[in-house]
Amino acid sequence: MNEIVTATAQIERQGWRRLLAISGEAAWCAQQAADLMAQLPGDWLWVGNNTPERSLSCAPQAIRTLLGREFRHAVFDARDGFHAEAFAALAGTLCAGSWLVLLLPEWESWAQRPDADSLRWSEGDCPCASTHFVHRFQQLLLADERALLWRQHDHHPISFVAPQPEHWQTDNRGQQAILSGLLNAGPGIYALTAARGRGKSALAGMLAARWPGRSLVTAPAKVSTDVLAQYAGERFEFVAPDRLLADAEQLAPGVDWLLIDEAAAIPAPLLQRLVALFPRVLLTTTVQGYEGTGRGFMLKFCASLADVTHFQLDMPLRWAAGDPLEQLVADVLLFDDAVAPPQQSTPHYVSLIQDDWLRQPGRMAAVYQLLTSAHYRTSPLDLRRMMDAPGMHFQVAMQGESVQGALWLVDEGGLSAELATAVWAGKRRPRGNLVAQSLAAHAGSPEAARLRSRRISRIAVSPQLRARGIGRQLIVHGLEYTRGLDFLSVSFGFTPQLWRFWQRCGFHLVRIGSQLEASSGCYTAMALLPLSPAGQQLTASLAERLARNGYWLRQQLDPDGLPLADKFEPELTDDDWLELSGFAWAQRPYEASYAALGRLVSQDGVMLPLLRAALLERRSAADICAGFRFSGRKALLDAWRQEAQQGLAALDAARAETCQQQINSLQ
């Protein structure tokens, strides 16, 4: 163990961090980690689901609470599953001179072992193996001379990195230059991007401390602003984003700066409103990391704002340039989202499968990097899904050997009639099948979950080649591999421009959600491209239902720019009776049944005061609860269901009884 002490002293002098992977039987790995912890003083944060009894530990899913803090040495326990976002986030918390000890299953069997983390990113009920991810990780680890690998029943080498000419010192000149500019800044919006460890949160804290006026700080979670608070000192004032919006009239006057830390993790519609409230706004976000990419954030969100001044921090402050751990994590999780420049040649189109991660890993990596550059919410979770989740399909537009367009599709549907009906009734919600289940649960069509379909998960084209028909051609080529499917589907944040693209590709709009998407600030829209007679019948039925419900949907949302009909059709159809029966005697959501309920309360002679208050008088649930003395929304929902039962019985008692019996037979 003396060698590990010497190696630790060396990386501390050089300002680096290193990875030590320990692979073997679970007990043996734990013992090696315990020996290291006894030998090397430090914090030794342990991240894993089966943490030993110790004072400093964290479950992978809770790693977000540690962002902004700093530790010396850590253990990442991946013996049961590899939580990629937590691995990346943990690496970002380690200071210079630290080891990240990675506990792994036995080396030879690792790729075939079920990965417990796969339950987050695959759509199965049981864990699946991470064959492609593990194979690539093993190759990178073996090729990295600065990482250590200890395997049970094998020699445990301790290599030393090449010495640097000088003792490492922090170089904060870039940080100070940006700070000086901000301290003399006029009103406007300023964006600061950086990889982890570059001192962006510290810079924001120093701005708050040195600015002569008042500043407010906001972030997705206060716990992640520890570094900013440390540098701001007594000038640190934190207000949560929702409260800042709710109490803007009281909080905004007299404030010169709003400092928004990790802005890319705040929903875009909230950011749009926040930046309009204050004379100066600083948005800081991570260029790439566990939660997605700041470059995409800059392209998407900041491009929508006028006169944004952009700053970037490149030099690390918490460790030295060329840090071995940072480089290895970036390679493993493909944090470099650079896209190859376009060429003059005509694109050609190819189909790729997951095994191409083994045959042509560079091309698959380029696909992921292009998708990451175009979708700023893309994260390591998506990489894990892309590599190893069942039912993934890819179409790629190539210029020579460079990837310039990518289409990612996911198999959906095929649920049994019993399960699809349970989803429709609000009784079940199994994993996956995003569009197929939503059309059953919210659009009232269990048939959508029974049919076999394929959903477009991501589509991206290099910015310089957009508006040339490449996206449409990707879909056309994807259709060549859809034998046996009933429809293609897509879910997207509705904008007229985006909808025109999907229309040109042959899709039909079948659903518009009543809530704004957190990521895009738009209403969720779903569209289908039918591929079979059953798919055509489903698409026509859903499109007709959307048109008929347009009048009532307009009351639930801001209809500006949405292709919603406004014709009032009061008669109750067979579809309405089925929808109302599902609401009355099953667990169909109120929002999904809104239009049918609106038509129910519009019938002559039907007295339903609670539903009438909500649907015709448009009173809020809180107002109705107060007026009718309900304890809360749950009690009100139960009362709405009872009124729906009464309303159906008043219209046709015999039919209502038959409907109730049919619904009860499904449960």
Side-chain angles (χ1 to χ4, degrees):
M1 280 290 181
N2 288 333
E3 287 183 312
I4 197 71
V5 174
T6 303
T8 303
Q10 183 193 38
I11 61 173
E12 188 169 0
R13 286 193 303 272
Q14 297 183 186
W16 281 355
R17 296 99 37 84
R18 294 179 69 184
L19 180 80
L20 168 54
I22 301 176
S23 173
E25 296 173 357
W28 181 83
C29 290
Q31 185 58 54
Q32 303 310 303
D35 292 344
L36 287 166
M37 294 161 66
Q39 186 78 7
L40 300 175
D43 300 302
W44 285 109
L45 172 65
W46 187 294
V47 175
N49 287 319
N50 299 309
T51 58
E53 293 185 6
R54 42 180 292 103
S55 58
L56 194 58
S57 61
C58 179
Q61 60 270 23
I63 195 72
R64 182 184 289 265
T65 63
L66 301 180
L67 295 178
R69 297 177 62 183
E70 191 172 277
F71 304 95
R72 180 175 296 277
H73 307 313
V75 175
F76 187 81
D77 188 352
R79 290 172 292 179
D80 293 328
F82 198 105
H83 192 301
E85 303 97 300
F87 177 68
L90 176 61
T93 69
L94 296 181
C95 63
S98 293
W99 290 96
L100 175 50
V101 176
L102 175 62
L103 306 186
L104 299 172
E106 293 182 90
W107 190 259
E108 300 300 335
S109 62
W110 181 19
Q112 286 73 47
R113 284 172 55 96
D115 186 331
D117 187 66
S118 67
L119 292 175
R120 294 190 309 123
W121 45 260
S122 75
E123 298 185 351
D125 294 325
C126 299
C128 66
S130 299
T131 306
H132 302 104
F133 176 81
V134 170
H135 180 80
R136 184 172 177 276
F137 191 105
Q138 288 178 323
Q139 287 187 319
L140 290 170
L141 196 55
L142 291 171
D144 191 338
E145 296 180 349
R146 301 187 297 179
L148 299 185
L149 172 60
W150 291 357
R151 296 166 62 177
Q152 192 175 5
H153 312 303
D154 201 352
H155 176 59
H156 304 154
I158 298 178
S159 61
F160 294 89
V161 293
Q164 301 298 304
E166 297 179 2
H167 186 85
W168 170 68
Q169 290 183 330
T170 298
D171 183 356
N172 65 354
R173 287 174 294 181
Q175 182 195 56
Q176 293 303 310
I178 295 174
L179 177 61
S180 177
L182 292 173
L183 287 170
N184 293 284
I189 299 173
Y190 302 85
L192 173 62
T193 57
R196 294 205 178 279
R198 268 60 180 174
K200 64 182 183 304
S201 295
L203 189 155
M206 288 187 279
L207 175 60
R210 299 184 191 179
W211 183 261
R214 188 173 169 218
S215 304
L216 291 181
V217 176
T218 194
K222 185 178 181 180
V223 70
S224 64
T225 61
D226 285 357
V227 171
L228 196 158
Q230 176 186 343
Y231 282 88
E234 296 178 353
R235 307 295 297 278
F236 179 76
E237 289 188 68
F238 179 87
V239 183
D242 52 353
R243 179 173 172 247
L244 198 54
L245 290 173
D247 300 335
E249 291 185 4
Q250 293 77 35
L251 296 171
V255 175
D256 296 325
W257 277 100
L258 175 64
L259 310 177
I260 307 179
D261 204 20
E262 294 298 353
I266 295 178
L270 267 67
L271 279 180
Q272 290 277 7
R273 296 167 61 191
L274 287 171
V275 299
L277 294 175
F278 299 88
R280 297 172 184 82
V281 177
L282 176 64
L283 305 162
T284 78
T285 198
T286 304
V287 170
Q288 179 58 286
Y290 77 98
E291 71 286 273
T293 167
R295 289 193 186 98
F297 171 75
M298 292 300 301
L299 289 171
K300 294 276 186 153
F301 179 75
C302 291
S304 69
L305 304 173
D307 301 323
V308 177
T309 303
H310 179 218
F311 298 104
Q312 183 167 323
L313 284 168
D314 296 312
M315 185 64 65
L317 299 182
R318 301 215 306 270
W319 50 80
D323 176 67
L325 180 61
E326 181 178 50
Q327 186 59 59
L328 180 58
V329 172
D331 289 344
V332 168
L333 300 180
L334 292 171
F335 281 171
D336 180 8
D337 56 9
V339 177
Q343 304 171 17
Q344 296 300 319
S345 60
T346 301
H348 63 280
Y349 298 85
V350 297
S351 177
L352 299 176
I353 60 176
Q354 287 171 315
D355 278 349
D356 285 313
W357 281 105
L358 306 178
R359 293 190 289 259
Q360 42 186 345
R363 181 172 292 185
M364 293 300 290
V367 171
Y368 176 76
Q369 288 166 324
L370 176 60
L371 294 170
T372 298
S373 70
H375 299 269
Y376 71 82
R377 294 283 174 175
T378 304
S379 75
L381 186 76
D382 297 291
L383 178 63
R384 301 299 309 279
R385 182 181 292 118
M386 179 179 173
M387 296 181 88
D388 288 301
M392 304 292 117
H393 307 268
F394 309 95
Q395 299 294 321
V396 180
M398 307 286 298
Q399 284 186 327
E401 290 302 310
S402 68
V403 174
Q404 298 296 335
L407 175 67
W408 177 6
L409 304 103
V410 181
D411 286 341
E412 290 197 347
L415 274 63
S416 68
E418 180 181 7
L419 181 55
T421 302
V423 171
W424 171 85
K427 296 292 187 179
R428 294 283 304 278
R429 201 66 194 268
R431 294 177 182 274
N433 294 288
L434 172 68
V435 171
Q437 285 206 70
S438 182
L439 294 179
H442 302 113
S445 177
E447 185 70 9
R450 289 196 293 266
L451 297 180
R452 294 187 62 218
S453 61
R454 192 165 289 167
R455 171 174 56 87
I456 295 175
S457 175
R458 297 277 199 281
I459 186 169
V461 175
S462 296
Q464 301 94 324
L465 296 178
R466 290 173 187 166
R468 300 189 186 183
I470 295 175
R472 262 184 294 170
Q473 284 302 309
L474 283 168
I475 294 172
V476 169
H477 283 268
L479 291 174
E480 297 176 5
Y481 302 89
T482 57
R483 179 177 297 178
L485 297 181
D486 295 297
F487 61 88
L488 290 186
S489 70
V490 64
S491 176
F492 61 99
F494 186 93
T495 66
Q497 180 182 11
L498 197 51
W499 170 228
R500 283 194 295 272
F501 167 76
W502 293 115
Q503 274 186 305
R504 289 195 295 268
C505 294
F507 284 79
H508 301 266
L509 195 64
V510 296
R511 179 173 182 260
I512 295 179
S514 59
Q515 302 295 322
L516 294 173
E517 281 186 344
S519 58
S520 69
C522 304
Y523 292 105
T524 300
M526 294 181 180
L528 302 185
L529 174 59
L531 302 173
S532 71
Q536 292 173 347
Q537 183 177 354
L538 172 71
T539 302
S541 172
L542 288 171
E544 180 182 351
R545 182 177 299 175
L546 176 64
R548 189 164 182 268
N549 291 346
Y551 172 87
W552 296 98
L553 193 55
R554 282 175 167 271
Q555 298 183 19
Q556 294 179 274
L557 42 73
D558 180 359
D560 187 35
L562 297 174
L564 293 172
D566 57 3
K567 182 182 178 182
F568 175 55
E569 298 183 18
E571 62 275 5
L572 289 178
T573 64
D574 291 345
D575 274 352
D576 288 328
W577 269 87
L578 181 60
E579 180 66 52
L580 292 167
S581 299
F583 178 78
W585 290 293
Q587 298 296 318
R588 293 283 297 154
Y590 169 76
E591 290 77 13
S593 305
Y594 190 93
L597 289 168
R599 286 187 280 271
L600 175 63
V601 298
S602 301
Q603 301 303 303
D604 293 336
V606 175
M607 301 299 295
L608 308 173
L610 297 174
L611 286 170
R612 178 176 293 274
L615 296 155
L616 300 185
E617 300 171 14
R618 302 186 188 179
R619 292 167 60 182
S620 68
D623 183 41
I624 298 172
C625 286
F628 288 85
R629 297 186 178 181
F630 286 103
S631 59
R633 183 179 173 85
K634 184 179 183 301
L636 176 60
L637 180 59
D638 290 341
W640 278 337
R641 294 191 192 279
Q642 291 174 10
E643 280 200 348
Q645 297 171 14
Q646 296 165 11
L648 292 174
L651 291 175
D652 189 331
R655 186 175 185 179
E657 184 177 356
T658 300
C659 289
Q660 181 182 5
Q661 292 172 354
Q662 291 174 339
I663 295 297
N664 289 340
S665 70
L666 301 176
Q667 303 182 55

